[in-house]
Amino acid sequence: MAIAPSTPKMLGQPIKRREDPRLITGAASYVDDAHLPGLTYLFVVRSPYGHARVKGIDVEAARGAPGVLAVITARDIEGATTGPLPGEYDLSVFEDAKEPQRYPLATDKVRYVGDPVAVVVAESRYAASDAAALVEVEYEPLPPVVDPEAALEAGAPLLFEEFGTNLGHRQVKDGGDVEGAFAKADRVVKLKLVNQRVLPTAMETRGCVAEWRSGRAGEQGELTLTTSTQVPHGVRTRLAKLLGLHENKVRVIAPEVGGGFGNKIDVSPEETLAAIMAMRLERPVNWTETRRENFQAAMHGRGQIDDVEAAVMNDGRVTGLKVTATCDLGAYYQYVTPVMGMLTGMMLPGTYDIPNVHFELRGAFTNKTPVGAYRGAGRPEATYLLECMMDKVAHELDMDPAELRRINFISKEAFPHETVFGTSYDTGDYEKALDRALEFAGYAELREEQRAARARGKLMGVGLAAYVEICGFGPWESATVRVEAGGGVTAYTGTSPHGQGSETAMAQIVADELGVKMEEVVVLHGDTATTATGMGTNGSRSAVMGGSAMVLAVGQVKEKAGRIAAHLLEASAEDVEQSDGRFAVRGASEKSVGLAEVAAAAYGGEVPQGDEPGLEATRFFKADGETYPFGVHIAVVDVDRDTGRVSFRRFIAVDDCGKVINPLLVDGQRHGGIVQGAAQALFEEVVYDEQGQLLSGTMNDYAVPTASSFPMFELDRTETPSPRNPLGVKGIGEAGTIGSTPAIRNAVLDALLPLGITDFDMPATSPRVWKAIQAAR
């Protein structure tokens, strides 16, 4: 059967997000909007110590408080779970791997400020909070360790005595002749970098509502968890296993989610506790954390110290690289904690053709909140260390940083390219992105301006960063497309959008293929009771995996619609073509039927022999490999030598995410990513004192940027399609975060170079920059 494709009308068009009206008018519904009959409220009692033994817990006063329904400790829920909280990692890829057993509530020890030790459930949120203050916990404080390098030294306080060490895992990778490259190098350039901890700071904190319906005699009951998550099916699978329930007895609903950034991809202790208490009380339980709790207990991002060495030739070629990455794990493994450092190693040597690389990863347990996936997840760390090193090499060789990068880029002709560590890049043209960025920025003119500014004593900096990242993580994704009997179209995606604009992008794909208006397409997601099993939204995978599954599903529907249309028109399927939502006999356009007529026939059983009634398809897409978007970012800053204030003047980004479904969505993702990456470079830092107390535990202490902090971003794109999916897309959600951080850090350091300052760690706050200037004087 051959059906002439309809003329594309939607793909590639800058269509406004269909999600926005309900979000900006307050019509959207979030977890805390779920007011079920008999709703109760859960509040968590958390450790005020970074490290302590739990000697005893007295809950009697709390149990007698007004409105309190239950107060529980770890002892009260022994056996309520089938085992410890689950993770998604393969420790067999590491050496010396240790796996702490973590349960919803701390038992003998607490290991970070915010570690849950008890919960209170009451008739109101305020009653639960008041009663939690009455729970008396007897602690025996222990020496904490908060520095990951110090944690690995002999004699450091141990978080887990049974391990005899704070080393959580180790990985060593070697590619090429590293020692030979360093022996032959004209010079060796060394650099130590701190990629500080940051907070995801989603607009909506974590939260859930758990509801339990008891089953009939001999049958399991049913648990419904409405939760702010990025991965509803993943939560269902892990929670069902954890609670000993059949998976089809657990329903997970993700309503509107007010931001995730990787912070909402696991099953948290609190979600588990809410489910347990709903089952025990047989009443719905709401848990919504406060912002302070969010900062204390929701996972943190980054937290990596990198010791980097480069073997360099005088012509600018980097022939070898050594990296030792010490990862601050925090007190336990979150869902993907060990994967963060592993991804850093996987993405070496980035955009560069460096044939000899050594990578050592050391994961250290510390008395701090666990670290997990945060926008970019391991890839920003790789790009940061590479781009900071490239600038240092350029400075030492007195070479232009842009030209140094050009000399070392992987050539366009080398793709598909396998790195020295076996990572398989799909497509790339890094020099093209660099040339476009330099032209777009007016790079030569910027350098002339900088020379003139320096002559006047002004501190102006220009920073570059080239990046490549890995996106489209599998292993697969699902989609369902159904043409309803009246001709409307309902599409279900196994991804779980929460700000990406995926409802709009998926509707564009479906509308284009079926030749219908976008308004006739409804996109649904986030409910395990209605959508085919999916992998959710993370790792810039929605368009790559979810969009590709949607292409397969709508393509199958389109083919069947063509066969039914041919049957109705009494023509051969090969002679029927589709255009603008109608099917017509080729050469006889007066003989045509619309999609609504085809759907009516499909549900009326008027289908050709061999076809079933109905008009829908569910498909699963499995890619041949990941995708690798890339780009070049340029930042321009001014530094006030008297105050240390950094004025962020210009930001230029040229990104390549393959084919583009909707450029407006792409730019929106880039805007958000650049802001988060720039914020780490300029403002944000999680700060603990030596006792493990979180000093940046409120919005008063943690500097989240606002729109006034940034210039208008200057954006452009190159387009290098990926052959690994039918759309040719690569992913864009994390690109801005990956490229912007080193570009801005390099710009600040470039401004300070005339003062003799050759190294500088983030964030470039005014006090930090001022102190560096004073020290240089």
Side-chain angles (χ1 to χ4, degrees):
M1 183 189 70
I3 303 175
S6 58
T7 303
K9 300 179 181 65
M10 299 297 173
L11 291 186
Q13 298 303 309
I15 296 170
K16 290 184 179 180
R17 299 195 330 175
R18 55 165 44 188
E19 300 93 327
D20 286 350
R22 69 175 185 264
L23 296 174
I24 63 178
T25 60
S29 179
Y30 296 85
V31 166
D32 210 36
D33 293 320
H35 299 292
L36 303 179
L39 185 64
T40 64
Y41 295 86
L42 182 147
F43 196 89
V44 181
V45 179
R46 301 184 182 276
S47 169
Y49 291 96
H51 197 195
R53 297 194 190 281
V54 179
K55 305 294 288 184
I57 305 177
D58 185 350
V59 300
E60 292 309 311
R63 282 177 175 159
V68 170
L69 300 170
V71 183
I72 62 166
T73 66
R75 289 185 180 180
D76 298 315
I77 56 171
E78 286 181 2
T81 62
T82 58
L85 295 170
E88 185 69 18
Y89 41 79
D90 179 9
L91 291 180
S92 68
V93 302
F94 300 107
E95 303 173 22
D96 305 318
K98 319 293 190 302
E99 184 168 21
Q101 301 293 294
R102 187 186 187 189
Y103 289 85
L105 292 173
T107 53
D108 57 327
K109 280 179 76 173
V110 289
R111 295 178 172 88
Y112 68 96
V113 172
D115 211 350
V117 293
V119 296
V120 176
V121 181
E123 296 285 0
S124 75
R125 181 173 283 126
Y126 303 104
S129 176
D130 290 345
L134 300 176
V135 174
E136 295 185 4
V137 184
E138 182 185 354
Y139 294 102
E140 178 189 329
L142 298 170
V145 58
V146 296
D147 182 294
E149 291 182 315
L152 297 179
E153 294 175 358
L158 297 177
L159 274 75
F160 302 93
E161 287 84 355
E162 62 269 30
F163 296 156
T165 177
N166 289 319
L167 180 68
H169 53 266
R170 182 170 174 265
Q171 185 181 51
V172 179
K173 299 169 70 173
D174 283 289
D177 181 9
V178 179
E179 295 306 322
F182 275 82
K184 296 173 184 176
D186 291 327
R187 68 177 66 205
V188 173
V189 179
K190 299 183 180 182
L191 186 61
K192 188 181 185 75
L193 297 162
V194 177
N195 206 305
Q196 79 273 24
R197 276 183 175 234
V198 291
L199 297 169
T201 324
M203 186 178 295
E204 178 197 27
T205 61
R206 298 176 303 157
C208 67
V209 173
E211 183 181 13
W212 174 255
R213 293 183 180 178
S214 298
R216 293 178 296 183
E219 292 185 3
Q220 286 188 342
E222 296 181 1
L223 175 67
T224 298
L225 186 75
T226 301
T227 184
S228 186
T229 182
Q230 301 173 226
V231 286
H233 285 95
V235 170
R236 181 185 68 170
T237 297
R238 297 191 291 274
L239 192 60
K241 182 178 180 180
L242 191 60
L243 298 177
L245 298 172
H246 300 309
E247 203 162 330
N248 58 7
K249 294 292 186 179
V250 177
R251 178 185 183 186
V252 175
I253 301 169
E256 299 292 356
V257 174
F261 312 120
N263 190 234
K264 298 174 180 177
I265 63 171
D266 59 356
V267 175
S268 68
E270 295 89 351
E271 285 171 315
T272 308
L273 290 165
I276 290 171
M277 296 313 298
M279 294 168 70
R280 291 199 173 184
L281 297 173
E282 297 193 351
R283 287 179 62 179
V285 175
N286 171 299
W287 167 71
T288 302
E289 67 182 352
T290 65
R291 182 60 65 183
R292 182 181 287 275
E293 285 182 293
N294 180 258
F295 281 11
Q296 284 185 342
M299 70 86 187
H300 295 170
R302 311 292 185 253
Q304 187 170 301
I305 301 172
D306 297 305
D307 291 284
V308 191
E309 298 181 36
V312 181
M313 309 306 292
N314 286 334
D315 65 358
R317 289 287 304 168
V318 178
T319 59
L321 189 70
K322 294 180 181 178
V323 177
T324 299
T326 303
C327 293
D328 182 354
L329 305 174
Y332 305 96
Y333 290 152
Q334 291 284 104
Y335 182 53
V336 290
T337 303
V339 179
M340 299 304 97
M342 187 177 72
L343 284 172
T344 298
M346 182 183 294
M347 290 314 299
L348 298 178
T351 58
Y352 304 112
D353 188 12
I354 303 176
N356 309 292
V357 182
H358 167 82
F359 176 70
E360 180 180 359
L361 164 66
R362 306 185 304 165
F365 291 118
T366 61
N367 292 113
K368 293 191 277 190
T369 303
V371 163
Y374 171 60
R375 199 169 190 169
R379 291 99 82 200
E381 293 90 323
T383 297
Y384 184 74
L385 71 89
L386 286 166
E387 294 310 295
C388 292
M389 173 55 81
M390 281 296 174
D391 259 33
K392 190 169 182 66
V393 170
H395 297 155
E396 292 205 7
L397 293 176
D398 195 24
M399 183 178 290
D400 184 90
E403 291 311 305
L404 180 82
R405 286 167 170 82
R406 189 189 305 279
I407 290 170
N408 287 282
F409 275 156
I410 301 164
S411 70
K412 175 184 177 181
E413 293 72 30
F415 289 89
H417 175 79
E418 186 171 294
T419 71
V420 68
F421 285 157
T423 303
S424 174
Y425 294 175
D426 50 357
T427 56
D429 191 346
Y430 305 149
E431 194 166 354
K432 181 179 179 181
L434 175 64
D435 288 339
R436 181 68 190 111
L438 297 179
E439 177 189 5
F440 195 35
Y443 184 73
E445 292 79 5
L446 279 174
R447 288 301 185 190
E448 284 296 327
E449 182 186 350
Q450 183 184 45
R451 279 189 281 272
R454 286 178 174 176
R456 299 192 306 272
K458 300 295 184 182
L459 302 178
M460 172 184 169
V462 181
L464 286 84
Y467 74 89
V468 60
E469 66 147 328
I470 180 173
C471 290
F473 294 98
W476 48 263
E477 193 48 81
S478 69
T480 299
V481 174
R482 180 171 66 238
V483 181
E484 310 291 354
V489 184
T490 306
Y492 300 85
T493 174
T495 64
S496 190
H498 48 279
Q500 293 79 9
S502 298
E503 288 182 30
T504 304
M506 298 296 180
Q508 287 178 260
I509 293 170
V510 173
D512 251 20
E513 281 295 307
L514 294 180
V516 300
K517 296 178 180 178
M518 273 189 65
E519 302 82 65
E520 298 174 12
V521 181
V522 174
V523 178
L524 300 176
H525 55 84
D527 187 341
T528 62
T530 59
T531 57
T533 301
M535 304 300 293
T537 293
N538 53 81
S540 302
R541 67 185 304 277
S542 293
V544 176
M545 303 300 291
S548 296
M550 194 66 71
V551 167
L552 297 183
V554 72
Q556 186 170 323
V557 167
K558 181 178 174 179
E559 287 182 4
K560 184 176 181 181
R563 294 194 299 271
I564 297 173
H567 177 68
L568 295 176
L569 295 169
E570 299 180 342
S572 168
E574 287 73 20
D575 294 332
V576 171
E577 59 185 10
Q578 180 201 16
S579 179
D580 298 325
R582 297 195 67 80
F583 297 84
V585 178
R586 187 179 294 108
S589 57
E590 70 280 359
K591 293 185 63 178
S592 68
V593 291
L595 186 61
E597 296 167 85
V598 171
Y603 290 102
E606 195 176 348
V607 297
Q609 188 172 3
D611 272 316
E612 299 173 348
L615 192 53
E616 71 174 86
T618 296
R619 293 293 301 271
F620 291 78
F621 172 74
K622 186 178 187 301
D624 294 331
E626 290 78 23
T627 57
Y628 293 84
F630 59 91
V632 173
H633 291 187
I634 299 176
V636 183
V637 303
D638 294 313
V639 175
D640 187 315
R641 63 171 68 229
D642 295 322
T643 65
R645 179 181 175 84
V646 177
S647 298
F648 190 5
R649 181 137 60 94
R650 290 182 66 192
F651 193 87
I652 298 93
V654 174
D655 300 297
D656 194 313
C657 58
K659 287 285 187 181
V660 170
I661 297 172
N662 184 326
L664 197 61
L665 298 182
V666 167
D667 286 352
Q669 286 296 297
R670 292 203 281 174
H671 282 192
I674 291 167
V675 166
Q676 284 186 285
Q680 182 178 9
L682 295 173
F683 312 118
E684 297 190 27
E685 183 178 23
V686 173
V687 180
Y688 283 87
D689 69 10
E690 293 181 355
Q691 296 303 310
Q693 293 295 323
L694 180 61
L695 302 182
S696 52
T698 71
M699 286 289 195
N700 284 332
D701 310 301
Y702 188 82
V704 177
T706 61
S708 62
S709 306
F710 303 100
M712 293 296 291
F713 301 139
E714 302 167 56
L715 307 180
D716 201 359
R717 289 184 283 109
T718 59
E719 188 174 288
T720 311
S722 174
R724 293 179 177 174
N725 62 77
L727 286 166
V729 297
K730 287 193 169 192
I732 193 63
E734 294 157 303
T737 317
I738 294 169
S740 61
T741 308
I744 294 167
R745 178 269 183 190
N746 287 345
V748 173
L749 184 58
D750 188 52
L752 299 176
L753 279 176
L755 304 180
I757 300 170
T758 57
D759 288 312
F760 188 82
D761 269 324
M762 305 180 291
T765 60
S766 296
R768 188 185 291 251
V769 175
W770 183 84
K771 288 178 181 177
I773 292 172
Q774 300 312 306
R777 285 176 174 171

